[in-house]
Amino acid sequence: MTTGTPRDPAPSTGTPRDPAPSTGTPRDPAPSTGVPRDPVPSTGTPREAPRTTAARRDPYEGFAGHVGRTFAESEPAWPGRTAPPAKAPNIVVVLVDDMGFSDIGPFGSEIPTPVLDGLADAGVRLTNYHTMPLCSPARAALLTGLNPHRVGYAMVANSDPGFPGYGMEIADDIPTLAELLHDAGYATYAVGKWHLVRDSASNAADDRANWPLQKGFDQYYGVLEGLTSLFHPHQLVRDNSPLDIDEFPDDYYYTDDITDQALSMVKSLRAHEPDKPFFLYLAHNAVHGPLQAKAEDIARHRGRYDEGWDVLRERRFAAQLAAGLFPPGTELPARNSEAGLDVPAWDSLTEAQQQLYARYMEVYAALVDNIDQNLGRLTDTLAALGELDNTVIVFTSDNGGTGEGGAEGTRSYFSRFVHHPRLPGDWEPDVDRDPELIGGPRSLVHYPRGWGMASNTPFRLYKGHTYAGGVRVPFVLSWPEGVRDGRLASGLRPQYQYVTDIAPTLLELAGLARPESRRGVPLQEPDGVSFGPVLADAAHDSTHPEQYCEMTGNRSHYRDGHKLVTLHRPGAPYDDSEWALYDIRTDPTEIHDLAAAHPELVKELSAAWEDAAWRNGVFPLPDHSGALARRNPAEERLSRPLTLLPGTPELERYRSSRLVSLRSFEIAVAVDETGDGVLVSHGDQGGGYSLYVENGRLALAYNEYGTLHETDAGPLGPGPHEILLDAAAEEGLRWRFTVTVDGEHRAAPGSVHQLIGMAPFQGISVGVDRKSPVSWPLFERHRSFRYTGRLKSVTYRPGAPGPDAPEAVAAALKEAAAAFE
């Protein structure tokens, strides 16, 4: 629509073009912009080369052959293929999620990992490798070689407070390792966990700008978010498309599946292209909670952990000392004792607690065991192809073992994982479960933080902390061909290296240099430095002498063996009083605080941290304002009423949550013809709700973090119906449901705790309960139970925010901080 006055034509950016030729007057030939070609003989007047302009390129410009009027008068030429250097190795990066330093055999574990043992014996173990304390930042640093705040990942990709360090988008001037290898002629594949796209951008309507294929990978298969069920992944994505899946086979297991997909990609490449090297990024969701493992894997570890975490920790530390992972005189710290992070003595637990907690660790060990088995399938395939020797294999973890399971662990992962300042006194962070179900598809468990402490042996604290327990993880690199040609010398490496060093190191091993620009865009400089010289020479100095770190207010600064570090208390001021100082050359387990003895060094390193923080985009730091709960105001559109028609693919988790989270809501179901089956479902075995008709009776199932409530809402006779499920948000993070049919009140079950945080995990489905069911008994009777009648529509009407909504959260955080101070 115009305002009345027409706009002038836009000015040309160059010389005006001649008018288009008519059928009567021929257009004058344009002059050539380069070396003129010989005139082409014809039956008429020779024609000069066409003019190249900004809007029209000469189709023959730059052609290396010769073009005549006919093929007989022409000489062909073909563009050269981009290819990496001769004998460039394949590259496989196996990234495990939340694995502690001591959880594999080469780093002291009792868990059998024969494949990793073999890779470590023939390759290199970095014993002083450091990473970021949390998932997304570590992945951003690994794949780009830049400090994560610079890339925009100060936090996991589940927040959006509106500052550069929290942008959760990899800019065009920051190439990923996949992009650089792809540019050089590598095939590039990713399977498993991504977690480098903001949760609000993980749906099929997004522009996909930060999905794997847009960041350099030829193919992708896995889960975009940070965690999932290993038996019923909530949203699998192949390449650029979420997969619409009703049910998984009963023997489905995600770790096996992503390995199958990786093997298929590699085999397909070799069937089509015999020489092209590949980069495979195999990012496991295991061993991140919820912990789920195959029954046969769990069975192999029965009884292994009955002696508890204190004995386990002593044994692992003894194995580490015997293997030479630490210098003589290294001490094992006492159990973690910091408030809210403390671990009780195993002997102080009741027999029932010991039996339950030991079972959790059996499941965890089974996860590690299964990862090694699947790694064996990959190495066997590479060996069968004759390519194992010239494949660089890196195995590491994104961060240290976690304490998020709390002191007791849980069989209700999402209720334990909730962090809300107004959790009511009756909130239950666990549910009762038959011990035989622990670790299976019907339980979402996590181990107590005592096992997280043991996972991180011999270090202090956990994932999320900048103490060693959060940032020192196992690192194995294998490359038999590199050993033979002298680029790799097997053995241990005590040199400090950092996660940002992985990308430049792998580029160097591939014989490639990082360019200064890409596709006409100048590139940001990397922060990482190749540790290729360290791989070749065990006596070479570390190539990374200094590094800052920050995560949710926890800070550290490393320089030449000294480490300044904090354990930040939420709401406390950021000042020099919280710094501790350790010489990790002689005290790698961070026991002896030297801050009081060396105040000048504390001041020097704290100033260095401050400078690095400003240069890398670390500020603003988290405080009592509740800013991390903020979201882009544009997301308000996601709380409008939404009508879903039959046949709509499952709504993605985050998109679904915006309709119900921390608010009242209504669901109006319009039925044209009565039948049996699920009308609408939202959630899974970790929590959710569904409306369904069975044997002509309407029912509401509500799964309260693993506790199932079933409500009979009476018969649903023939004909069309309007069914309304109303959820009123009440004080104490509760919902009170009512069910009406055609305006008639049918049921009003007792109030239940709301599903908040990451729950419901699985999104909204219409006319079916996909994948992991809300009601397991109903699933056993009918599987996904597609509706057999005629469903017209399902409409969500989000209501007012509840008394515990984000606005109230921010206010509560301010009050809590004021009281703390």
Side-chain angles (χ1 to χ4, degrees):
M1 180 177 177
T2 68
T3 57
T5 305
R7 293 181 299 172
D8 292 333
S12 169
T13 55
T15 305
R17 291 180 294 178
D18 294 332
S22 70
T23 56
T25 306
R27 181 175 169 180
D28 290 336
S32 170
T33 56
V35 178
R37 295 190 295 270
D38 293 334
V40 178
S42 69
T43 56
T45 305
R47 183 179 176 190
E48 296 181 23
R51 181 180 61 189
T52 297
T53 70
R56 185 180 185 90
R57 178 173 56 85
D58 178 356
Y60 302 115
E61 183 180 7
F63 177 61
H66 172 74
V67 178
R69 190 171 181 81
T70 65
F71 277 108
E73 299 164 334
S74 305
E75 295 178 6
W78 289 269
R81 293 182 61 191
T82 300
K87 296 185 178 180
N90 301 317
I91 297 171
V92 175
V93 173
V94 181
L95 185 65
V96 184
D97 201 351
D98 289 4
M99 174 178 276
F101 183 86
S102 72
D103 280 336
I104 59 174
F107 284 78
S109 180
E110 72 298 332
I111 302 170
T113 54
V115 178
L116 279 166
D117 294 350
L119 295 176
D121 288 344
V124 166
R125 282 176 283 174
L126 300 186
T127 63
N128 197 7
Y129 167 76
H130 285 60
T131 181
M132 280 294 290
L134 219 54
C135 316
S136 302
R139 290 157 202 274
L142 187 156
L143 285 174
T144 67
L146 274 69
N147 290 325
H149 296 85
R150 286 181 63 202
V151 190
Y153 292 85
M155 181 64 172
V156 290
N158 299 81
S159 61
D160 188 17
F163 295 97
Y166 296 82
M168 310 300 170
E169 294 179 353
I170 304 175
D172 290 341
D173 60 354
I174 302 176
T176 68
L177 178 61
E179 288 174 309
L180 296 177
L181 290 173
H182 190 275
D183 290 351
Y186 271 71
T188 52
Y189 306 123
V191 297
K193 172 173 173 172
W194 182 239
H195 213 194
L196 288 174
V197 58
R198 192 184 303 113
D199 51 8
S200 59
S202 296
N203 63 80
D206 196 75
D207 63 9
R208 296 168 167 83
N210 278 271
W211 290 30
L213 263 62
Q214 282 63 252
K215 292 302 168 187
F217 290 100
D218 293 322
Q219 292 181 256
Y220 170 69
Y221 179 88
V223 173
L224 295 176
E225 289 201 276
L227 63 154
T228 196
S229 164
L230 301 187
F231 290 105
H232 303 119
H234 67 291
Q235 180 179 262
L236 280 172
V237 171
R238 184 182 298 280
D239 298 334
N240 265 340
S241 300
L243 298 178
D244 202 14
I245 297 171
D246 279 4
E247 298 176 8
F248 289 101
D250 288 342
D251 62 351
Y252 177 89
Y253 191 65
Y254 176 77
T255 306
D256 295 342
D257 184 18
I258 61 172
T259 304
D260 288 342
Q261 299 294 327
L263 297 181
S264 176
M265 292 172 186
V266 171
K267 291 176 182 177
S268 177
L269 174 67
R270 282 299 165 259
H272 292 90
E273 171 56 71
D275 301 320
K276 192 173 194 177
F278 65 84
F279 168 44
L280 171 63
Y281 176 58
L282 202 171
H284 287 284
N285 286 77
V287 290
H288 195 295
L291 306 180
Q292 295 176 313
K294 298 193 293 187
E296 59 267 32
D297 291 333
I298 297 173
R300 280 194 293 278
H301 300 277
R302 289 277 195 224
R304 188 185 293 272
Y305 299 100
D306 290 352
E307 293 177 290
W309 47 62
D310 291 326
V311 170
L312 180 67
R313 197 160 165 257
E314 294 281 355
R315 286 179 178 163
R316 288 189 175 185
F317 183 54
Q320 291 168 342
L321 291 177
L325 302 187
F326 297 102
T330 299
E331 303 169 63
L332 181 67
R335 282 186 300 273
N336 293 331
S337 59
E338 292 81 356
L341 306 170
D342 56 305
V343 174
W346 182 261
D347 290 344
S348 71
L349 304 176
T350 66
E351 183 178 350
Q353 286 174 318
Q354 290 178 349
Q355 290 176 353
L356 175 61
Y357 297 176
R359 178 57 185 267
Y360 291 148
M361 188 59 188
E362 291 168 7
V363 176
Y364 183 86
L367 284 161
V368 177
D369 181 347
N370 180 265
I371 288 172
D372 191 76
Q373 293 175 47
N374 277 292
L375 180 57
R377 295 171 59 209
L378 176 60
T379 55
D380 287 349
T381 298
L382 293 173
L385 292 169
E387 299 189 39
L388 181 59
D389 281 2
N390 198 31
T391 299
V392 177
I393 298 178
V394 170
F395 181 97
T396 190
S397 176
D398 59 352
N399 48 252
T402 180
E404 69 191 17
E408 303 87 17
T410 185
R411 291 155 288 185
S412 179
Y413 182 83
F414 291 120
S415 60
R416 170 70 71 183
F417 198 59
V418 164
H419 300 289
H420 194 289
R422 291 188 177 179
L423 274 187
D426 64 349
W427 189 271
E428 181 52 67
D430 195 12
V431 297
D432 195 11
R433 273 284 183 271
D434 182 334
E436 292 306 309
L437 298 179
I438 292 176
R442 295 181 59 183
S443 65
L444 277 69
V445 307
H446 215 328
Y447 63 20
R449 58 177 174 249
W451 295 122
M453 176 185 68
S455 288
N456 294 331
T457 302
F459 303 124
R460 294 172 56 192
L461 301 178
Y462 317 94
K463 166 186 176 180
H465 299 128
T466 47
Y467 273 80
V471 298
R472 290 187 70 168
V473 295
F475 189 101
V476 173
L477 189 148
S478 168
W479 185 24
E481 189 68 31
V483 173
R484 282 194 285 271
D485 70 14
R487 300 181 68 185
L488 190 73
S490 301
L492 300 176
R493 298 292 188 277
Q495 293 90 332
Y496 178 97
Q497 299 296 158
Y498 196 61
V499 60
T500 54
D501 300 337
I502 292 178
T505 301
L506 293 177
L507 285 174
E508 180 182 316
L509 297 185
L512 300 170
R514 188 180 190 269
E516 294 185 0
S517 64
R518 181 174 184 266
R519 298 179 181 175
V521 177
L523 301 183
Q524 291 198 42
E525 65 178 5
D527 296 300
V529 181
S530 170
F531 51 80
V534 173
L535 296 176
D537 179 7
H540 197 284
D541 288 340
S542 164
T543 62
H544 201 119
E546 186 164 3
Q547 181 63 45
Y548 86 94
C549 188
E550 185 276 335
M551 177 55 55
T552 60
N554 292 311
R555 300 175 286 159
S556 72
H557 198 88
Y558 170 86
R559 179 187 287 171
D560 292 327
H562 283 98
K563 180 181 174 184
L564 199 65
V565 62
T566 72
L567 178 61
H568 183 71
R569 298 174 299 167
Y574 291 100
D575 58 31
D576 286 354
S577 66
E578 65 177 1
W579 288 116
L581 177 68
Y582 302 98
D583 186 340
I584 66 172
R585 296 165 297 187
T586 58
D587 180 24
T589 52
E590 300 170 346
I591 297 175
H592 304 290
D593 182 4
L594 306 176
H598 299 281
E600 291 306 311
L601 184 56
V602 171
K603 182 178 292 187
E604 178 185 335
L605 293 180
S606 65
W609 182 91
E610 192 82 8
D611 179 60
W614 282 114
R615 286 188 293 108
N616 285 278
V618 173
F619 297 112
L621 292 170
D623 57 16
H624 59 266
S625 67
L628 283 179
R630 273 201 306 250
R631 288 283 180 161
N632 190 325
E635 287 191 20
E636 292 176 8
R637 74 191 190 284
L638 302 181
S639 58
R640 298 177 195 156
L642 175 66
T643 296
L644 302 170
L645 302 179
T648 301
E650 179 181 316
L651 208 61
E652 182 271 331
R653 178 199 68 82
Y654 184 79
R655 176 69 182 96
S656 298
S657 74
R658 297 305 87 194
L659 299 169
V660 304
S661 182
L662 295 169
R663 64 170 66 246
S664 300
F665 64 94
E666 291 180 346
I667 308 174
V669 180
V671 173
D672 281 340
E673 186 177 305
T674 304
D676 275 8
V678 172
L679 299 169
V680 61
S681 68
H682 182 188
D684 46 57
Q685 282 293 283
Y689 56 87
S690 70
L691 272 174
Y692 64 90
V693 183
E694 185 181 28
N695 299 324
R697 298 188 71 85
L698 178 65
L700 167 66
Y702 187 78
N703 189 320
E704 190 178 20
Y705 298 102
T707 299
L708 182 64
H709 307 274
E710 296 265 17
T711 302
D712 186 339
L716 195 67
H721 295 287
E722 291 287 337
I723 302 166
L724 185 67
L725 176 65
D726 179 84
E730 298 181 337
E731 192 79 37
L733 289 167
R734 288 188 164 276
W735 276 323
R736 186 171 298 277
F737 288 103
T738 58
V739 180
T740 59
V741 177
D742 302 327
E744 175 193 354
H745 177 87
R746 288 292 190 89
S751 70
V752 290
H753 285 125
Q754 296 175 26
L755 300 169
I756 61 174
M758 293 291 288
F761 203 41
Q762 199 162 287
I764 296 167
S765 288
V766 172
V768 64
D769 190 353
R770 292 184 170 97
K771 292 171 282 194
S772 179
V774 171
S775 168
W776 194 271
L778 188 68
F779 174 75
E780 288 183 320
R781 295 194 296 270
H782 302 290
R783 307 296 291 187
S784 53
F785 205 18
R786 277 197 170 271
Y787 187 63
T788 60
R790 253 183 332 124
L791 184 59
K792 181 178 180 182
S793 64
V794 173
T795 298
Y796 274 77
R797 302 187 190 110
D804 304 295
E807 298 81 3
V809 171
L813 287 172
K814 288 182 180 179
E815 293 169 8
F820 177 84
E821 292 170 0

